[in-house]
């Protein structure tokens, strides 16, 4: 117990400090939740029920049927019917709709006569994911329509070829399912690394660290006393974030919540220790902030949170391999989306635990029990 | 107040030899040597930036010395800091406290840090509160305490474990005169019970109360010793001179007159009187006559000894390379 001397006193004080100021606690807990909700919605790249304007100059049974097929894909939603091509273009240009469908006169006649029946789809290309999705859906729809017609003309009952994809995980292919675990990883990183880095640097700035240095407190006692309260707080925060994930974003946890909890705990430990390590270098809060950002930015870009790591240049992939966030996101996605078991994610957990352990030792070695 | 387990039964409680600290190329403390015996109050004086806090930090094992040695309570601060630390209490220049905690919580935190629990903690807590009269302010947040009460709280925290040696870095800076006197009352009590005190200050009246003083100037310790010994130093009392105190009804005008009088080496005003260092050839009559010629009355001249300020001024002048 002697290497941890002073641990309980520090613990007592940290809890008092944290609880004393509910506003600070709120400031620590609330932004991550907000970030999570904002990130989660902002990253909703699924395109469904796009606002669509319709110009039906044909006004036949055939034209209405094809519009219905468009709507049935769930990609398009007719919100406006216009009377001219100019109005249609204007609706897209002004941003009232993303897509304009123009069925020219003679559409049904051409179809009947076996000529190529044309219809025009205007797509707002300024939003690339919307444009891509609209385009794909429209082309696929046209192809299928054509095939069916050709087949029935040839007296073929069934199409000769069909792919039946079965999406195993995340069957609805919703992007929140993919992104939200990553958002949780990044959001936790921002809040925790910062919290411990600040808490020690504040003591340095205020001069209380000097006071601790002359006491019988040992470095392990101090470091652990700083870690434990923040581990608890950020644990609660992580719990809230996962609750939001499954409640608000409708992303169920396919695997064991306990495995997820274990991964989160290891991840938080590594992050908090990283914060302590930063505080051994940073002389003031500004520096602590800057150092923390140095770690947060790569975690956003190289952890696989947004961009898949497989397609990254090897340098970026290597950077990603050094970040705890990478392993947490992998694990969280595995457990949440694919129902991965403890055995499946054990290698990742091992890396997280190793990182936390190494950082902690590094921290204790780096943490000079002196000033200057 | 018990005085811990020291390694120095009879030797000095604080002892440094050639103590030096450099920050890069700058030498903040240069070859400082002195010692302080048990139960002494050592007053450490010097201008801003002269290195007082740096010396204290080295003695508390907060800073590594760049050279020389220091022992506190018989333990080498560089080699045995963990054995030395339980003996010392340290109150930093900033009265560092946890602002978001109340006075009670601050004190009780330091109590726990030093291993007090339960009934023992409560007993020690009550003793310290009684000693520092903190009772009415216990539930106030440290951030909201005024300077004097912050200082008392910081001192109570530094005293939790009944240290044998207490380091106080400018404990009376920004403190009102009454609180200052009360603090010194406490310090005398502690010293009487065997505690060794190391106090930095800018106040000469506080220096006069110390059993031993040291003066540091531009990183070098210019002098250390008993105040009375220092006042008898030949540098302070040059041969063929004497010190007189002159009271009159117009001290500022009198100062101007006397500074012009041949044989007056220095003259300093203290309220309605002046302290002069004059050549022995300057008689009381000559002083009276020159003041009278300037229309200044109610003149009273009497011989006096040097103050500590005179000592420090004389020695600083010499260290800077000769008198005025
Ligand atoms: N950590 C440090 N790094 C660099 N320089 C330092 C450091 N600490 C102190 N100094 C310098 O050393 C010199 C002595 O500082 P110190 O704080 O010991 O002076 P002091 O006598 O206590 O002054 P004051 O009366 O203003 O408290 C100053 O010039 C200061 O700038
Ligand atoms: Mg100082």
């Amino acid at each position: 117990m002697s290497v941890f001397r002073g641990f309980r006193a520090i613990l007592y004080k940290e809890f008092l400090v944290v609880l004393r100021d509910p506003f600070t606690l709120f400031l620590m807990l609330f932004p991550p939740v907000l970030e999570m909700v904002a990130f989660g919605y902002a990253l909703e790249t699924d395109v469904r029920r796009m606002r669509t304007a319709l110009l039906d100059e044909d006004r036949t049974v055939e034209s209405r049927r094809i519009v219905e097929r468009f709507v049935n894909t769930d990609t398009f939603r007719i919100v406006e019917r216009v009377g001219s091509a100019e109005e249609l273009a204007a609706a897209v240009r002004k941003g009232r709709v993303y897509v304009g469908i123009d069925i020219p006169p003679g559409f049904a006649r051409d179809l009947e006569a076996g000529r190529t029946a044309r219809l025009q789809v205007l797509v707002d290309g300024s939003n690339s994911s919307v444009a891509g999705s609209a385009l794909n859906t429209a082309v696929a729809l046209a192809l299928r329509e054509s095939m069916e017609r050709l087949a029935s003309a040839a007296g073929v009952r069934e199409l000769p070829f069909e792919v039946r994809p079965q999406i195993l995980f995340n069957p609805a292919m919703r992007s929140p399912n993919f992104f939200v675990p990553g958002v949780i990883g990044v959001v936790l990183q921002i809040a925790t690394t910062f919290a411990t880095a600040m808490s020690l640097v504040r003591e340095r700035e205020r001069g209380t660290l000097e006071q601790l240095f002359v006491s019988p407190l040992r470095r392990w006692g101090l470091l652990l006393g700083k870690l434990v309260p923040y581990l608890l707080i950020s644990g609660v925060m992580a719990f809230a974030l996962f609750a939001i994930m499954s409640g608000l974003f409708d992303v169920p946890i396919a695997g064991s919540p306990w495995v997820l909890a274990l991964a989160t705990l290891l991840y938080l430990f590594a992050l908090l220790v990283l914060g302590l390590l930063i505080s051994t270098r940073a002389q003031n809060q500004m520096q602590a902030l800057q150092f923390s950002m140095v770690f947060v930015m790569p975690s956003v870009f190289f952890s696989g949170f947004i961009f898949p790591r497989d397609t990254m240049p090897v340098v970026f992939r290597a950077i990603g391999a050094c970040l705890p966030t990478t392993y947490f996101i992998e694990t969280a996605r595995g457990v949440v989306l694919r129902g991965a078991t403890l055995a499946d994610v054990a290698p990742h957990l091992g890396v997280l635990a190793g990182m936390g352990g190494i950082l902690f030792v590094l921290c204790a070695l780096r943490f000079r029990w002196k000033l200057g | 107040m018990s005085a811990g387990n020291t390694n120095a039964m009879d030797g000095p409680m604080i002892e440094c030899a050639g103590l030096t600290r450099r920050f890069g190329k700058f030498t903040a403390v240069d070859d400082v040597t002195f010692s302080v015996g048990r139960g002494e109050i050592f007053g450490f004086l010097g201008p801003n930036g002269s290195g007082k806090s740096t010396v204290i930090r080295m003695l508390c094992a907060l800073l590594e010395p760049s050279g020389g040695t220091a022992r506190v309570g018989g333990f080498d601060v560089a080699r045995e800091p963990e054995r030395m630390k339980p003996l010392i209490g340290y109150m930093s220049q900033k009265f560092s406290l946890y602002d978001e905690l109340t006075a009670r919580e601050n004190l009780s935190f330091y109590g726990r840090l030093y291993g007090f629990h339960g009934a023992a903690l409560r007993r020690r807590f009550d003793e310290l509160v009684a000693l520092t009269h903190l009772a009415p302010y216990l539930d106030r947040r440290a951030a909201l305490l005024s300077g004097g009460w912050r200082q008392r709280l910081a001192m109570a925290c530094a005293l939790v474990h009944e240290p044998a040696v207490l380091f106080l870095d400018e404990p009376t800076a920004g403190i009102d005169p009454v609180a200052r006197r009360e603090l010194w009352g406490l310090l005398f009590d502690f010293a009487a019970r065997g505690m060794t005190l190391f106090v930095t200050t800018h106040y000469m009246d506080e220096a006069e109360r110390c059993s031993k003083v040291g003066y540091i100037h531009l990183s070098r310790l210019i002098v250390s010793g008993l105040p009375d010994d220092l006042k008898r130093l030949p540098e302070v009392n040059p041969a063929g001179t004497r010190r007189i105190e002159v009271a009159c009804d117009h001290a500022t005008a009198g100062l101007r007159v006397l500074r012009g009088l041949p044989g007056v080496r220095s003259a300093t005003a203290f309220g309605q009187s002046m302290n002069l260092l004059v050549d022995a050839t300057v008689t009381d009559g000559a002083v009276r006559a020159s003041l009278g010629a300037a229309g200044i009355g109610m003149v009273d001249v009497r011989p006096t000894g040097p103050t500590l300020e005179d000592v420090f001024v004389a020695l600083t002048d010499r260290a800077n390379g000769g008198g005025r």
Side-chain angles (χ1 to χ4, degrees), chain B residues 236-287:
Chain B
V236 180
N237 309 288
T241 65
R242 62 189 190 107
R243 288 183 188 269
I244 51 173
E245 185 185 339
V246 181
C248 61
D249 62 0
H250 207 323
T252 32
L255 197 65
R256 229 176 6 253
V257 172
L258 293 179
R259 278 188 176 154
L261 191 68
V264 173
R265 298 198 179 187
S266 73
T268 342
F270 285 101
Q272 281 309 298
S273 66
M274 295 165 277
N275 276 16
L276 272 68
L277 176 65
V278 298
D279 288 342
T281 51
V282 179
T283 61
D284 291 0
V287 170

Side-chain angles (χ1 to χ4, degrees), chain A residues 52-320:
Chain A
T52 304
L54 175 67
L55 169 60
D56 184 357
E57 293 170 296
D58 196 44
R59 295 168 188 283
T60 56
V61 178
E62 282 301 329
S63 75
R64 275 193 292 277
R65 204 184 59 83
I66 197 80
V67 169
E68 196 148 302
R69 298 207 68 160
F70 266 94
V71 172
N72 282 347
T73 59
D74 211 24
T75 305
F76 307 98
R77 173 169 50 116
I78 309 291
V79 293
E80 198 175 330
R81 288 171 190 274
V82 296
S84 70
E86 291 73 36
E87 279 181 67
L88 189 67
V92 176
R93 195 177 59 245
K94 290 184 176 151
R96 288 205 304 272
V97 295
Y98 287 121
V99 183
I101 299 175
D102 178 1
I103 306 176
F107 176 79
R109 205 177 48 230
D110 285 346
L111 211 56
E112 210 54 47
R115 289 189 296 268
T116 306
R118 290 170 208 281
L119 59 81
Q120 199 182 14
V121 177
L122 304 180
V123 178
D124 175 3
S126 61
N127 184 333
S128 62
S129 63
V130 168
S133 191
L135 223 61
N136 288 341
T137 315
V139 169
L141 193 129
L143 266 175
R144 172 130 196 131
E145 196 69 4
S146 304
M147 292 301 298
E148 280 174 3
R149 277 178 184 276
L150 285 175
S152 73
V156 183
R157 274 273 180 81
E158 311 229 331
L159 291 179
F161 189 67
E162 181 173 332
V163 174
R164 294 202 142 180
Q166 186 185 359
I167 316 278
L168 278 181
F169 310 111
N170 188 11
M173 294 245 282
R174 293 179 55 226
S175 55
N177 296 31
F178 180 70
F179 278 116
V180 168
V183 173
I184 292 179
V186 169
V187 156
L188 282 177
Q189 152 128 40
I190 296 172
T192 47
T193 307
F194 215 44
T196 40
M198 282 302 191
S199 127
L200 246 183
V201 168
R202 215 166 25 233
E203 298 227 15
R204 194 188 298 277
E205 275 185 346
R206 281 200 300 212
T208 44
L209 200 58
E210 262 185 279
Q211 227 62 58
L212 297 182
F213 283 170
V214 298
S215 79
L217 175 66
R218 292 295 180 87
R219 72 179 77 190
W220 295 95
L222 175 63
L223 296 180
L224 219 59
K226 287 271 174 194
L227 276 179
V228 171
Y230 288 102
L231 199 60
L232 286 180
I233 293 169
S234 53
V236 170
M237 188 158 80
F239 183 82
L241 293 178
F242 280 115
I244 292 175
M245 177 186 81
S246 49
L248 192 61
F249 292 110
D250 267 333
V251 183
I253 299 172
S256 154
W258 293 110
V259 176
L260 197 58
L262 178 64
T264 308
L265 205 69
L266 291 174
Y267 177 54
L268 290 176
F269 180 76
L271 292 180
L272 291 170
V273 178
L274 183 65
L276 285 182
L277 195 62
I278 287 172
S279 71
T280 62
R281 283 253 82 174
Q283 290 300 317
N284 53 52
Q285 302 196 29
M286 195 60 218
Q287 282 182 8
L289 189 84
Q290 286 164 345
F291 287 148
S292 304
M293 286 319 283
V294 166
F295 287 95
V296 169
M297 295 320 280
S299 302
V300 171
F301 294 114
F302 306 136
S303 66
F305 161 44
I306 301 177
F307 311 112
R309 291 187 61 231
D310 300 322
T311 57
M312 279 180 199
V314 72
V315 184
F316 294 161
R317 208 158 3 148
I319 296 175

Side-chain angles (χ1 to χ4, degrees), chain B residues 294-308:
Chain B
I296 295 166
M298 296 173 58
V299 177
D300 175 32
V301 181
R302 61 178 66 172
T304 183
T307 62
L308 270 179

Side-chain angles (χ1 to χ4, degrees), chain A residues 371-372, chain B residues 21 23-24 26-29 46-55 57 63 93 169-170 200 202 216 219:
Chain A
L371 302 172
Chain B
R21 171 70 202 206
F23 294 110
F26 174 70
T27 305
V29 173
N48 291 131
S50 52
K52 301 182 297 296
S53 298
T54 307
V55 168
R57 289 193 172 126
L63 273 178
Q93 196 166 349
D169 198 353
E170 295 192 30
T200 71
H202 288 293
I216 186 168
S219 315

Side-chain angles (χ1 to χ4, degrees), chain A residues 5-18 20-22 202-218 222 226 368-372, chain B residues 21 23 57 60-64 77-78 81-82 85-86 88-92 94-102 104-105 108-110 112-115 117 141 154 158:
Chain A
R5 195 157 55 203
F7 165 68
R8 295 208 340 228
I10 297 288
L11 201 63
Y12 159 86
K13 187 216 73 182
E14 288 301 320
F15 272 117
L16 278 182
V17 167
V18 170
R20 178 51 35 83
D21 218 339
R202 215 166 25 233
E203 298 227 15
R204 194 188 298 277
E205 275 185 346
R206 281 200 300 212
T208 44
L209 200 58
E210 262 185 279
Q211 227 62 58
L212 297 182
F213 283 170
V214 298
S215 79
L217 175 66
R218 292 295 180 87
L222 175 63
K226 287 271 174 194
R368 282 172 43 83
W369 211 243
K370 298 265 183 213
L371 302 172
Chain B
R21 171 70 202 206
F23 294 110
R57 289 193 172 126
C60 293
L62 287 168
L63 273 178
E64 206 108 40
V77 299
E82 295 311 322
K85 278 179 189 172
I88 63 166
Y90 167 53
M91 182 169 121
S92 70
K94 292 194 268 186
F95 308 153
S96 310
L97 297 163
Y98 294 97
D99 281 344
E100 54 278 75
L101 301 188
T102 62
R104 182 192 305 280
E105 289 160 344
S108 123
F109 164 63
Y110 281 102
R112 285 159 203 261
L113 197 55
Y114 281 94
H117 296 290
R141 291 200 188 184

